[in-house]
Amino acid sequence: NAGVTQTPKFRILKIGQSMTLQCTQDMNHNYMYWYRQDPGMGLKLIYYSVGAGITDKGEVPNGYNVSRSTTEDFPLRLELAAPSQTSVYFCASSYREGSYEQYFGPGTRLTVT
Amino acid sequence: DQQVKQNSPSLSVQEGRISILNCDYTNSMFDYFLWYKKYPAEGPTFLISISSIKDKNEDGRFTVFLNKSAKHLSLHIVPSQPGDSAVYFCAAPVGGYSTLTFGKGTMLLVSP
């Protein structure tokens, strides 16, 4: 199993551009999550999904959108990128409710200039 | 407002000694805690957890202690090894659907 994979690993965006961060898991996990980590800070939850077609906002959802059309994929969309979105983005998955152990991807480092 | 707090940004210990990483929480309803380890340029990986029905959980060199009255938990690594050098996050489930809230992390440096 590859676990949780994320693409791209690095990206530089200009202010106002858009992009999609890809996340795929092959563990048949129902729950998936997007976090961002700013320097010296913990991980902040952006969005999460409990199954295909079901998504909900986390702590810091502004400026982002998600979709979940399959169990495996959970892309994160940035519209009109801003410098405040410069961060490292992690996707994670867990099996089900009550399974608190989350499996993380390697992250995408995004810079908006 | 942070519900899980790691007040020490960094910790340096010598190889073979004990490393103690601390975490405080504010919500007395929290009943489960996790520690994650993160190497540079990698995602966090689960290390060890503890339920509030216990006050200690051990896994090899790693032990987590929970003091519910003080709303405090600690991760002990004995003996510390250079490969343990990483950032350690404590986390707790919050808000349902297994969502977690994380502390800011403590960077551990174990020197030979």
Side-chain angles (χ1 to χ4, degrees):
Chain A
N1 285 352
V4 179
T5 57
Q6 293 182 238
T7 57
K9 289 192 188 319
F10 306 93
R11 183 74 185 267
I12 298 174
L13 280 182
K14 293 190 186 303
I15 294 171
Q17 287 185 322
S18 300
M19 77 165 293
T20 299
L21 283 66
Q22 301 291 346
C23 175
T24 299
Q25 55 92 8
D26 62 359
M27 297 174 283
N28 202 32
H29 285 172
N30 292 317
Y31 291 8
M32 295 187 75
Y33 312 85
W34 274 105
Y35 294 91
R36 59 177 287 173
Q37 185 192 11
D38 299 326
M41 301 296 287
L43 288 81
K44 300 284 188 186
L45 182 65
I46 305 171
Y47 269 96
Y48 65 97
S49 169
V50 300
I54 307 170
T55 63
D56 206 349
K57 296 177 181 179
E59 186 180 357
V60 290
N62 291 344
Y64 307 95
N65 277 301
V66 294
S67 60
R68 182 105 181 264
S69 57
T70 67
T71 300
E72 294 78 19
D73 300 305
F74 189 38
L76 178 71
R77 178 82 177 163
L78 279 72
E79 305 281 1
L80 298 174
S84 60
Q85 293 178 304
T86 294
S87 190
V88 181
Y89 291 85
F90 292 101
C91 179
S93 71
S94 67
Y95 180 48
R96 55 174 169 74
E97 178 67 35
S99 177
Y100 300 119
E101 180 182 341
Q102 294 183 10
Y103 296 80
F104 284 80
T108 294
R109 182 175 293 275
L110 176 66
T111 302
V112 182
T113 62
Chain B
D1 195 22
Q2 280 220 296
Q3 299 188 66
V4 176
K5 300 179 182 180
Q6 295 176 259
N7 293 318
S8 298
S10 62
L11 174 68
S12 292
V13 300
Q14 284 193 312
E15 182 178 6
R17 301 288 187 108
I18 185 172
S19 296
I20 300 176
L21 295 94
N22 295 304
C23 180
D24 297 298
Y25 60 97
T26 58
N27 190 336
S28 58
M29 298 300 290
F30 285 165
D31 60 4
Y32 196 84
F33 301 89
L34 305 93
W35 284 92
Y36 280 82
K37 176 179 182 178
K38 184 185 179 305
Y39 291 119
E42 294 184 11
T45 55
F46 170 74
L47 184 60
I48 192 170
S49 62
I50 188 166
S51 166
S52 61
I53 62 174
K54 295 183 174 181
D55 55 15
K56 174 183 173 181
N57 189 28
E58 194 171 351
D59 184 1
R61 296 185 297 113
F62 302 91
T63 303
V64 56
F65 295 92
L66 176 61
N67 182 334
K68 290 184 286 292
S69 62
K71 297 198 191 74
H72 177 82
L73 61 154
S74 60
L75 174 67
H76 293 213
I77 307 174
V78 184
S80 302
Q81 300 173 353
D84 296 329
S85 297
V87 177
Y88 290 79
F89 294 98
C90 68
V94 60
Y97 300 112
S98 300
T99 56
L100 299 175
T101 185
F102 286 81
K104 292 184 179 182
T106 297
M107 180 179 292
L108 173 66
L109 177 62
V110 181
S111 54

